[in-house]
Structures are given as structure tokens and as C-alpha cells.
């Protein structure tokens, strides 16, 4: 099913002029859309099958659709998952990719070219990245922690979450475990 635009003040969704789309973001100026056609299978490490997804770009004025990642079809055996495309306020397209062996954030120019690795997580991959509406900050999960990354930066920041509660009235029990 195609992606749709919903008015901020309510109303019916209007499908975009694409045949299929599951994850995407309209550029801040409304001129273009980046999206995935299938959504990939992020939970399948190293997946190289027909549900492997790429980043696609649609010019919303001309309706032209361009594939930005894994464009050399002769190299199909090396294709990786490129998912969750997002527009940064620097004009770059950010996305999560398994090119380094685990999911990290990459960026690519809207005109295409070689994707550049932005984050360098080693033990666990980036999950569920999401760009702020103004394109300034990506938030994502990695190793059960929340991280943020400013557009144009290569240094993510771990978000500290402090919880306060009264252990005498909390219904949660804390039990030590030993392996």
C-alpha cells in the first residue's frame, strides 16, 4: 500500500503517487519524498533475499522515482538492507543500513552516490531511527538505550533517563539473579 499524507488539522489521508511504500519522509520544503518500497527485514541479520530494501527518492513535482542505494544490479549479491530513510536539514538523506555488518546510520546525497557511514556502533545495531520534523535530530534505539544524533554530526549522544519512584509503594519486585 502506498504512503499517505494526512492534514495536520485532521481529515482523510491522501495516498502519494507511488505503487508501494512503507517507511518514508517528505522533505521539509515539501519537494521530495524518500521511502522504502517493502520495509526490509531488519530482524534478519545479514539478510540478502528479495525483501532486502533500498532507499528510493520521488520528486513530488515531476513524480519521477529514483533508486539511490544498491543501484549496480550486477552487484546484487552484495546488496544490503537500507531502511528508515529520513531527510536531514543539511539536505542529506539519512538511513539505517547493515553495510558495516550491523545496522548503523548512513547518509547519501539526494543526487545519489556512495553512502557514507555516520555512526559506528559495534555490538548491536541501530533500531527504529526517526528524524525530527525539522530535520535536525535523529533519535534511535541501540542496546536498549536511546541515542540522538544531530544532522551533519558523526557523534551520537546517549540519552540518560532517570526514573524516580517510591520502592515502598511500587508494585514491581526487584529480584537478584545469578548465572
Amino acid at each position: 500500500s502506498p504512503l499517505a499524507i494526512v492534514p495536520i488539522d485532521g481529515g482523510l489521508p491522501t495516498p502519494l503517487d507511488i505503487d508501494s511504500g512503507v517507511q518514508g519522509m517528505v522533505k521539509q520544503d515539501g519537494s521530495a519524498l524518500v521511502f522504502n518500497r517493502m520495509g526490509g527485514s531488519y530482524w534478519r541479520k545479514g539478510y540478502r533475499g528479495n525483501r532486502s530494501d533500498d532507499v528510493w527518492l520521488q520528486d513530488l513535482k515531476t513524480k519521477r522515482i529514483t533508486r539511490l542505494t544498491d543501484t549496480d544490479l550486477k552487484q546484487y549479491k552484495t546488496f544490503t538492507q537500507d531502511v528508515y530513510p529520513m531527510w536531514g536539514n543539511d539536505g542529506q538523506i539519512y538511513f539505517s543500513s547493515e553495510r558495516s555488518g550491523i545496522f548503523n546510520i548512513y547518509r547519501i546525497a539526494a543526487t545519489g552516490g556512495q553512502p557514507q557511514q555516520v555512526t559506528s556502533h559495534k555490538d548491536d545495531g541501530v533500531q527504529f531511527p526517526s528524524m525530527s520534523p525539522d530535520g535536525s535530530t535523529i533519535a534511535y534505539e541501540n542496546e536498549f538505550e536511546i541515542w540522538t544524533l544531530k544532522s551533519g554530526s558523526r557523534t551520537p549522544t546517549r540519552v540518560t533517563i532517570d526514573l524516580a519512584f517510591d520502592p515502598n509503594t511500587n508494585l514491581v519486585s526487584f529480584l537478584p539473579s545469578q548465572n
Side-chain angles (χ1 to χ4, degrees), residues 25-34 57-61 87 110:
M25 182 176 182
V26 174
K27 189 173 182 179
Q28 288 79 9
D29 66 6
S31 65
L33 167 73
V34 289
L57 170 75
Q58 182 181 33
D59 180 309
L60 293 176
K61 184 176 182 181
W87 284 102

Side-chain angles (χ1 to χ4, degrees), residues 137-155:
T137 306
I138 300 170
Y140 61 89
E141 186 267 328
N142 174 263
E143 293 192 65
F144 303 101
E145 295 182 311
I146 306 297
W147 294 77
T148 59
L149 176 72
K150 297 290 184 188
S151 292
S153 172
R154 292 182 179 267
T155 307

Side-chain angles (χ1 to χ4, degrees), residues 13-14 33 49 60 70 72 83 111 123-124 130 132 142 168 170 177:
T14 303
L33 167 73
L60 293 176
D70 294 332
D72 183 356
V83 293
T111 55
D123 297 325
D124 188 26
S130 182
S132 61
N142 174 263
N168 295 326
N170 192 356
S177 65

